[in-house]
Amino acid sequence: MDRIFRILPLLLALLPLAALAQDDASPRQPIDEIVAVVDEEVILRSELEAAITGVVRQVEARGERLPPRSVLEEQVLERLIMNQVQIQRAEQTGIRMSDQDVDRALGDLARQNGLTLTQLRAAIEGDGLSFDEFRQEIRSELTTQALRRRIVDGMDEITDTEIDIMLASDNFRGDEYKLSQILIQVPESAGPDELDEAAARADEAYRELQDGLEFASAAIAYSDAPDALEGGDVGWRNLNALPRQIADVIRDLEPGQYTEPLRIQSGFIIARVDDRRAQREVIVTEYRMRHLMVRPSELLPAEEARELIESLHDRLEAGEDFGEIAREFSDDQGSANLGGMIDWFPEGAYGTGFQNVIDSLAIGQMSEVFQSPQGWHVIRLEDQREADRTVESMRNEAREMIIRQKADDEIERVLRRMRSEAYVDIRL
């Protein structure tokens, strides 16, 4: 389920790591003016300025044109408001992120950028930012992600019938599209005046695009979507993951082309095709092996466990039956009763360490004793094949598409309701 969400680098949309290493000669002078009140919390001018600085760096790094300052302030403030709304709702429903959760996220973030935690902290503080505040932003991002997961977890399960319907559609076997969007949202209870205003705003964005404004810049200036400050980047989508009225238009577009404003349930959208690619066959390498494991325990210290499996390895080399030894001695509960047999599994299913051993073996060859965090092991490669897993892959892809589409719609609906129910006083 987590794969339908954008995970780490987390809040780098506001504090891009590439920019953290840059020198910032301008002194930071925090101004404690309140720019918005969200229920019982406030957003300060200094918070808004810091967020705007991060967005400006990100946009400039992409080589895109910034919108007017007033538009940028409005967009960034709305993101901060929505973030605050989500955090408050999450905390009200018992979602809390521990220090260990934050530490793990920071470790992942550092590794993704080829840094140690010490180097990450030095990069952040070297730019004049507070590492404690950065930790708090990470905690906030983890909290909002957990809230969104809870929203998705509350949806109905995807049925096989839904998957079959999607697989049978014309769009599913077609190309995949990398998309960007400009979304002009309207409230669920919008009246004619609000609809007209949103339509006019969408038309204005469209005219700006026709006059040469870059799509990413237009998204920053006009879009109400959460991805607006990232230039409206949606990512790769199959047509079936899109509303029908969008898919029918997108199908005929080439990379670089965009739609006219389209009326959809949540408002008006302009979608651009950034790239497209054909679906590919999925051919995977699969293996069969016999497995013998001895796990250290309180009754069997690590050294004795190693000595036991080495003695069993000697017996196997002497010709004793692998299956009988596995049934009697193996601590792998999943395969011991099957004589250690683990039937067809894909490459990498048991981790890099196991795969490296498997790759070193010829069919019928037995490994030396090797160790993993679970214990000591001996394996024998029984067989290997190339298997066409396109059908399984397509079913999994169809399931993920349905989940993503339903999740996007449900998250958007719930967040819009949360935003409308929250007390928000904007004081810009």
Side-chain angles (χ1 to χ4, degrees), residues 357-387:
V357 176
I358 292 171
D359 290 342
S360 70
L361 301 177
I363 294 176
Q365 184 180 4
M366 185 172 64
S367 73
E368 298 297 325
V369 173
F370 65 98
Q371 188 179 18
S372 80
Q374 288 73 43
W376 295 92
H377 309 266
V378 173
I379 62 175
R380 186 173 72 197
L381 182 60
E382 299 293 314
D383 205 353
Q384 177 177 333
R385 70 184 183 188
E386 299 297 309

Side-chain angles (χ1 to χ4, degrees), residues 124-142:
I124 293 168
E125 293 179 340
D127 194 52
L129 302 176
S130 165
F131 188 70
D132 289 340
E133 291 180 3
F134 190 81
R135 279 183 60 89
Q136 185 57 41
E137 293 295 340
I138 292 286
R139 189 187 303 274
S140 297
E141 180 68 21
L142 291 172

